[in-house]
Amino acid sequence: MINSSAQKTDAECFTVPQHTTIMGITMDDKVKDLMGSLGRGRGSLIPLLQRVQSEFGYLPRETVAAISDALVISESEVYGVATFYSEFKLKKPGEHTFKVCMGTSCYVSGGGTLLSQIIRRLGVRPGETTSDGKYSLDAVACLGCCSQSPTVVLDDVIHGNVTPSTLESMISELENGSEAL
Amino acid sequence: MRRIKDPSRLEDAKAEAKASWNSLFCGDRPIVCTGMSTCGISAGAREPRDLMRSLLSEEGLEAKYVDVGCLGLCYSEPLLYIKKPGRPMICYGNVSPKTARSLARSILINDESGDSALGAIPELSCGEISSIPSIWEHPMLKSQVRIALKNCGIIDPENLGHYIARGGYAALAKTIGITPEAVIEEVKTSGLRGRGGAGFPTGMKWEFCRKSKGDEKYLICNADEGDPGAFMDRSVLEGDPHAVIEGMLIAAYAIGCTQGFIYCRAEYPLALRRLEVALQQAKDAGFLGENILGSGFDFDITIKEGAGAFVCGEETALMASIEGKRGMPRTRPPFPANAGLWSKPTNINNVETLANLPSIIDKGGKWYSAFGIGRSRGTKTLALAGAINRPGLIEVPMGMNLRQIIFDIGGGVPGGKACKGVLTGGPSGGCIPASNLDIPMDYEAITQAGSIVGSGSMIVIDEDTCIVDLARFFLAFTQRESCGKCTPCRIGTKQMLGLLEKITQGQATNADLAKLEAVAQAVRSGSLCGLGAGSPNPVLTSLRYFRPEYEEHIVHKHCPSMACSGLTSHSIDQSKCKGCGLCVEACPVGAILGDHKKPHRIDQERCIKCGACILACPGKFSAISKRSGAVLEVA
């Protein structure tokens, strides 16, 4: 099983000893599988990183050597690209992810307050995951849904015209849901 | 759809598409259309639609359901249009599950009493609608001219037949019948300028690339709409993806490109999905691929999904990203027209620019250039948001003045508050003050006023928005998104942000303000790309129009808009508070303390200044207030 990476920095995630298997599956095979019809070379790097991330929810350290081999580019270049784009995560995200839109329209209509509310309520900072691995929080640039601002995305479902009280009920629903289990 | 091998078969396909369009909209079944763009979905459009469907099918009524894109009336979303047999298509706004129930009932008993709502949609009605006001008479739509948006909210974006029935791909057939030079000439005549922000004449840009030497040329559609506050391109991609594909085909033919890319940001999952569907349909129908419509013209399109970097909207950074590199801009020359993607001649156009092309070719460049003023011809789509009664997506002729846009179309500022100004051009633009709203929507006039037209975002702000805090917000954005390649932007934005934070926290001096201006000028003149060079604009423009507000923060440590959280606090008047506890329940962070029936107190450490307590406090007590200045607990 993959070690918990919640407390590590991006750089540390990339310097852990190299493993090439996750739960017994060889990453070379897994990456080859995900490559599908993508060609070799740099042009395929971002699409491949996207496929790996959509498979695992992040880019596990274990996949990097395999990506670098498959595309014939160095691991440091893979790291360079993975850390440039905000979409890519080197740490395992929480069970639930809140994305709070910080576009201009959401900001002027109270998005900042919603962000502070999640920070206080769940004890998690933007870009981080709670230590129990339950919640991740991201402050994202404009989602292009400005007419319904402020907006919050919870686990890929977009909610418009969010108020502190509707956000509170979203949070308590998650918390109560997990107690019931 | 069958493969269409030559222009004459396109005519047949159109006749077929029109017949099935008519049988749908003139048939004897009720039709329910739902505005299912991201804005409609986030407003909750799924719920009333699904409820309607289950209510009607319970009664054994088989209605037709069509999901359409965004009509632009985002303020009254969710939008449902309903057509009863023999009646016009009526548009209903703010549809809740409750209204869905009553609408379902009215369909079942064929009741005509609710047949006014927001208006009738003539395009989707079969024949006469004269008894009912047309939706195009709605105050938000009346003065619009819809060219890029002509199909948005009218057709099912995932149905190629709908696009063809409305005249789609006729411009492609016309294009391949004339020479590439003639196509370029037509676009030059139209006066179309790049709608992504720079405003460079499109025809001229194509000519450079056409004349550039190279055996292989690329065409890129820039769909990396990253400006916060902009959603024009998203709406076009979600509402009418084939218009963008047809626009790309016209551009590719004119320039001589064989391969195209659509670089679309990952934050737009629905736009990406609809593009994929549309591309496959276009391939199957023979509009993409080899020997298009039997003309010998080959062209194909690949989607490239962005990965979350604002700077990739800049063309050289975008190309670096497609090449699989860190998306960092480079110096020009060489210009992309000579050495772009993989060093081959490349032409990049924005989504809206491309979506205008089918109509320009269809109706002629002269027709298009009849709209607009001066050197700004045609129309511009604008995303209205912020403190405005009718936020949404609009398209107006260039030259309409900002006051008309905000007050006539947008309905002005809600809550009887004063309009403070409008932000145009996103983080590279600035705030044009309310006193200056009589200027026209024109590239040159807006630049003269200290802002830019940019991609078309317009965010209206009222008296509650602090201009200094807003400048800080934009700098926080550009600082975070700075790619770090050039020093003025990397270090300058950081310094500007630090100074703005000092001001909004009441810790700055007049010397800091002078330093802020000096750094802003340096970043403007020294940055490598437009994003860096434009980043000081929000500061410089707000200093030009709102300097006293900066001085108020610095000298009196006071935020006149009560927005800077470092300079404001909420407090409870102990003599007015009756300890009813409503504020305690309302507070999302448990910051209000006190025993029942005894005056409460706010823990300033925990308070996030959301104002929920002020709303919760009964009007007869009005014990809670927000103030700017020192934190006070009124005894």
Side-chain angles (χ1 to χ4, degrees):
Chain A
M1 191 57 203
I2 309 162
N3 294 329
S4 157
S5 52
Q7 311 308 325
K8 296 191 184 96
T9 64
D10 282 357
E12 282 163 351
C13 290
F14 250 67
T15 50
V16 294
Q18 184 179 321
H19 303 288
T20 50
T21 58
I22 294 177
M23 299 177 88
I25 303 165
T26 320
M27 281 305 103
D28 285 333
D29 292 345
K30 186 82 214 168
V31 167
K32 209 176 281 172
D33 214 37
L34 292 170
M35 279 264 296
S37 60
L38 290 177
R40 284 186 156 206
R42 277 212 89 114
S44 298
L45 176 55
I46 293 172
L48 182 57
L49 290 174
Q50 285 165 333
R51 290 180 188 189
V52 171
Q53 178 150 307
S54 94
E55 175 79 15
F56 294 99
Y58 72 116
L59 302 174
R61 176 64 183 91
E62 292 82 348
T63 60
V64 174
I67 293 170
S68 136
D69 284 347
L71 300 178
V72 206
I73 49 179
S74 71
E75 285 190 38
S76 66
E77 285 179 279
V78 176
Y79 177 72
V81 169
T83 49
F84 183 84
Y85 296 96
S86 62
E87 181 189 1
F88 297 122
K89 306 204 176 311
L90 304 186
K91 300 170 204 163
K92 192 175 183 183
E95 240 173 275
H96 301 288
T97 300
F98 282 94
K99 290 182 192 166
V100 181
C101 181
M102 282 285 119
T104 322
S105 179
C106 288
Y107 183 74
V108 300
S109 51
T113 309
L114 300 177
L115 189 68
S116 318
Q117 189 179 341
I118 299 178
I119 294 171
R120 299 275 169 120
R121 267 296 262 114
L122 301 177
V124 58
R125 310 270 328 161
E128 291 178 359
T129 301
T130 49
S131 49
D132 61 0
K134 254 198 97 178
Y135 302 106
S136 291
L137 173 62
D138 283 322
V140 295
C142 190
L143 296 166
C145 212
C146 316
S147 54
Q148 311 298 328
S149 55
T151 53
V152 172
V153 176
L154 170 58
D155 298 333
D156 295 328
V157 178
I158 187 162
H159 300 264
N161 304 310
V162 180
T163 62
S165 69
T166 52
L167 179 62
E168 177 54 36
S169 50
M170 280 156 73
I171 295 173
S172 42
E173 203 171 300
L174 287 179
E175 304 230 281
N176 298 336
S178 68
E179 275 163 24
L181 285 176
Chain B
M1 184 167 288
R2 284 192 313 275
R3 201 177 161 79
I4 299 167
K5 290 186 182 133
D6 59 69
S8 68
R9 302 224 184 141
L10 180 61
E11 283 300 312
D12 303 340
K14 187 176 174 180
E16 218 173 280
K18 268 196 158 165
S20 78
W21 173 278
N22 287 340
S23 82
L24 175 63
F25 291 106
C26 298
D28 52 7
R29 297 236 185 108
I31 306 171
V32 179
C33 297
T34 315
M36 288 287 280
S37 277
T38 303
C39 42
I41 295 169
S42 75
R46 261 199 196 103
E47 214 183 328
R49 179 196 65 176
D50 295 348
L51 180 65
M52 194 102 184
R53 193 194 284 261
S54 70
L55 288 173
L56 292 181
S57 73
E58 267 170 33
E59 295 294 329
L61 186 63
E62 272 189 59
K64 298 264 189 187
Y65 298 88
V66 181
D67 287 348
V68 296
C70 176
L71 193 61
L73 303 173
C74 309
Y75 79 97
S76 62
E77 256 161 342
L79 284 177
L80 237 61
Y81 328 151
I82 289 169
K83 189 182 179 313
K84 297 162 201 160
R87 306 278 309 148
M89 182 72 88
I90 307 291
C91 175
Y92 297 87
N94 296 314
V95 178
S96 62
K98 193 178 160 203
T99 36
R101 274 177 198 282
S102 73
L103 286 171
R105 203 174 317 121
S106 90
I107 292 178
L108 288 167
I109 60 170
N110 207 11
D111 168 30
E112 292 176 11
S113 60
D115 278 10
S116 58
L118 290 173
I121 303 177
E123 287 79 357
L124 302 178
S125 302
C126 193
E128 200 60 42
I129 61 151
S130 58
S131 57
I132 294 160
S134 159
I135 188 86
W136 307 115
E137 292 301 315
H138 185 282
M140 191 172 181
L141 292 163
K142 204 161 58 180
S143 44
Q144 292 193 37
V145 172
R146 292 164 76 95
I147 298 173
L149 300 181
K150 69 172 182 190
N151 285 328
C152 287
I154 302 294
I155 64 169
D156 173 358
E158 299 193 22
N159 190 323
L160 174 59
H162 283 194
Y163 183 69
I164 290 180
R166 300 254 304 152
Y169 289 108
L172 170 67
K174 196 169 169 186
T175 298
I176 56 171
I178 56 178
T179 63
E181 288 75 14
V183 178
I184 292 177
E185 213 39 56
E186 200 65 57
V187 175
K188 275 183 164 177
T189 307
S190 74
L192 178 66
R193 291 166 69 176
R195 296 290 189 240
F200 193 82
T202 305
M204 209 190 287
K205 194 174 187 179
W206 288 7
E207 197 166 46
F208 290 147
C209 196
R210 166 115 204 130
K211 287 183 175 161
S212 175
K213 287 195 176 65
D215 47 349
E216 200 170 9
K217 295 177 185 175
Y218 298 117
L219 176 73
I220 299 173
C221 165
N222 186 348
D224 195 47
E225 182 173 60
D227 277 8
F231 53 93
M232 303 77 51
D233 294 349
R234 175 184 64 69
S235 289
V236 173
L237 293 167
E238 289 178 355
D240 194 14
H242 281 288
V244 180
I245 295 173
E246 190 177 2
M248 286 183 79
L249 279 156
I250 295 165
Y253 177 81
I255 297 163
C257 306
T258 51
Q259 179 61 49
F261 297 93
I262 300 176
Y263 188 92
C264 181
R265 62 197 296 246
E267 289 86 344
Y268 288 175
L270 186 63
L272 279 160
R273 209 199 73 211
R274 291 196 177 149
L275 270 175
E276 270 166 30
V277 171
L279 279 182
Q280 193 55 51
Q281 290 169 341
K283 275 175 199 174
D284 293 344
F287 297 127
L288 283 173
E290 288 178 1
N291 194 18
I292 294 163
L293 299 184
S295 64
F297 163 52
D298 305 334
F299 184 65
D300 216 336
I301 298 175
T302 308
I303 296 174
K304 288 280 176 181
E305 188 181 323
F310 173 66
V311 68
C312 286
E314 198 279 343
E315 56 182 16
T316 57
L318 188 157
M319 293 187 296
S321 180
I322 292 182
E323 290 172 2
K325 299 177 190 155
R326 290 162 71 91
M328 302 213 263
R330 60 162 174 77
T331 49
R332 290 171 299 184
F335 287 95
N338 297 315
L341 192 58
W342 293 299
S343 300
K344 308 270 188 191
T346 304
N347 181 79
I348 304 183
N349 288 130
N350 147 279
V351 169
E352 183 190 341
T353 313
L354 292 163
N356 274 303
L357 291 167
S359 296
I360 289 175
I361 296 299
D362 212 24
K363 299 183 173 167
K366 269 210 183 104
W367 165 81
Y368 188 79
S369 76
F371 302 103
I373 55 160
R375 289 178 52 223
S376 303
R377 312 310 310 180
T379 57
K380 180 79 195 81
T381 60
L382 301 166
L384 285 184
I388 191 157
N389 274 316
R390 293 195 282 262
L393 181 74
I394 62 167
E395 183 172 1
V396 297
M398 283 280 192
M400 184 178 277
N401 77 41
L402 303 184
R403 192 177 300 281
Q404 239 177 314
I405 295 171
I406 295 168
F407 289 90
D408 297 352
I409 296 180
V413 176
K417 289 195 174 145
C419 175
K420 189 166 182 172
V422 59
L423 292 153
T424 66
S428 315
C431 183
I432 297 171
S435 57
N436 209 4
L437 292 183
D438 291 310
I439 57 169
M441 176 50 70
D442 162 72
Y443 289 104
E444 280 70 33
I446 303 266
T447 307
Q448 231 169 27
S451 186
I452 56 169
V453 172
S455 56
S457 70
M458 283 182 82
I459 294 165
V460 179
I461 56 169
D462 64 15
E463 56 202 63
D464 291 345
T465 299
C466 169
I467 207 80
V468 188
D469 184 54
L470 203 59
R472 185 203 58 77
F473 164 79
F474 277 126
L475 258 299
F477 177 80
T478 37
Q479 189 273 326
R480 198 170 53 237
E481 295 292 337
S482 172
C483 78
K485 184 169 178 174
C486 75
T487 316
C489 174
R490 182 182 67 243
I491 296 178
T493 52
K494 181 89 184 159
Q495 291 305 318
M496 283 194 283
L497 177 60
L499 290 164
L500 286 163
E501 278 171 350
K502 263 176 101 174
I503 299 174
T504 53
Q505 285 159 9
Q507 291 160 0
T509 61
N510 282 322
D512 288 319
L513 192 57
K515 203 190 285 174
L516 177 65
E517 281 186 279
V519 176
Q521 293 295 353
V523 174
R524 172 184 265 188
S525 54
S527 293
L528 173 61
C529 78
L531 302 183
S535 67
N537 262 355
V539 174
L540 293 170
T541 308
S542 58
L543 275 170
R544 175 170 157 190
Y545 295 114
F546 300 94
R547 182 177 286 267
E549 222 174 297
Y550 278 83
E551 288 164 353
E552 187 73 15
H553 284 74
I554 294 169
V555 180
H556 298 112
K557 317 293 175 203
H558 170 242
C559 174
S561 309
M562 306 262 239
C564 291
S565 59
L567 293 176
T568 55
S569 60
H570 289 75
S571 58
I572 300 176
D573 186 334
Q574 304 288 291
S575 65
K576 290 182 181 170
C577 177
K578 302 290 179 230
C580 70
L582 286 174
C583 58
V584 178
E585 277 172 40
C587 179
V589 290
I592 302 181
L593 315 166
D595 298 328
H596 188 56
K597 302 243 163 134
K598 287 195 179 137
H600 291 357
R601 233 164 20 81
I602 297 177
D603 177 352
Q604 299 294 337
E605 289 291 302
R606 295 190 67 84
C607 176
I608 58 169
K609 299 165 190 182
C610 68
C613 52
I614 296 182
L615 294 176
C617 186
K620 57 183 172 179
F621 303 145
S622 296
I624 309 179
S625 61
K626 186 178 185 182
R627 59 188 69 233
S628 179
V631 174
L632 291 175
E633 198 73 64
V634 180

